[in-house]
Amino acid sequence: MSIRRMGIIFGLALVVGSIISMWLPESESKIEEQLFGEITYQMSELKLVTDTLVQTRNTVSGTMQQQIDDELQRAAEWLTAFKPTGETHEDRKAYLIQERDRVTELVQSLGQVRDSISQSNISTAQ
């Protein structure tokens, strides 16, 4: 068999294989990795928001400080409770989906608190 013919057959095999893989479901471990990656990204966003809140906490007092403390406590509780475990792929996948949604909501909530406190600080400074 000539080199050219082998190259054509090999190329066709790659194309057919990639087309078939597009129709096959993703492996469970790949789905878990993707979910864990999304959670890791949200954790980095959570760190950015909490760092900003800690800095802001030192510039406010009273109820605003208490509000920041409460939100930081929520973040700490989520971080300490996050433990991706499960007996089956389905259990782990369900847990990771639930935690991804929880941390996404937590980041949004903390961001709203940060923004509202920043706005009120700007208003009182004027």
Side-chain angles (χ1 to χ4, degrees):
M1 187 181 290
S2 73
I3 302 272
R4 183 171 184 237
R5 183 180 271 174
M6 284 176 46
I8 291 172
I9 291 171
F10 183 70
L12 285 172
L14 287 175
V15 169
V16 168
S18 66
I19 291 172
I20 289 173
S21 70
M22 287 179 5
W23 297 101
L24 294 175
E26 290 186 79
S27 72
E28 291 295 325
S29 61
K30 189 171 185 171
I31 293 170
E32 288 176 27
E33 286 177 26
Q34 182 180 2
L35 288 167
F36 197 77
E38 292 174 18
I39 291 170
T40 303
Y41 172 77
Q42 289 298 331
M43 288 171 100
S44 66
E45 293 294 309
L46 183 64
K47 182 185 180 321
L48 292 173
V49 173
T50 55
D51 287 349
T52 305
L53 284 173
V54 168
Q55 291 172 350
T56 304
R57 184 186 184 281
N58 296 327
T59 64
V60 299
S61 61
T63 59
M64 285 186 188
Q65 205 171 47
Q66 184 59 46
Q67 184 181 15
I68 291 173
D69 289 345
D70 293 344
E71 294 301 320
L72 291 173
Q73 182 63 37
R74 282 183 52 212
E77 288 170 358
W78 182 85
L79 283 168
T80 57
F82 179 69
K83 292 178 179 59
T85 59
E87 294 295 318
T88 66
H89 286 295
E90 286 302 315
D91 291 343
R92 286 188 298 271
K93 182 177 147 186
Y95 178 80
L96 290 173
I97 289 171
Q98 174 187 347
E99 292 306 305
R100 179 203 55 196
D101 295 344
R102 283 184 62 203
V103 72
T104 300
E105 183 274 324
L106 183 60
V107 168
Q108 290 172 349
S109 172
L110 291 173
Q112 290 171 349
V113 169
R114 176 198 59 205
D115 295 344
S116 70
I117 289 174
S118 295
Q119 290 299 324
S120 66
N121 275 349
I122 291 171
S123 299
T124 56
Q126 293 178 353

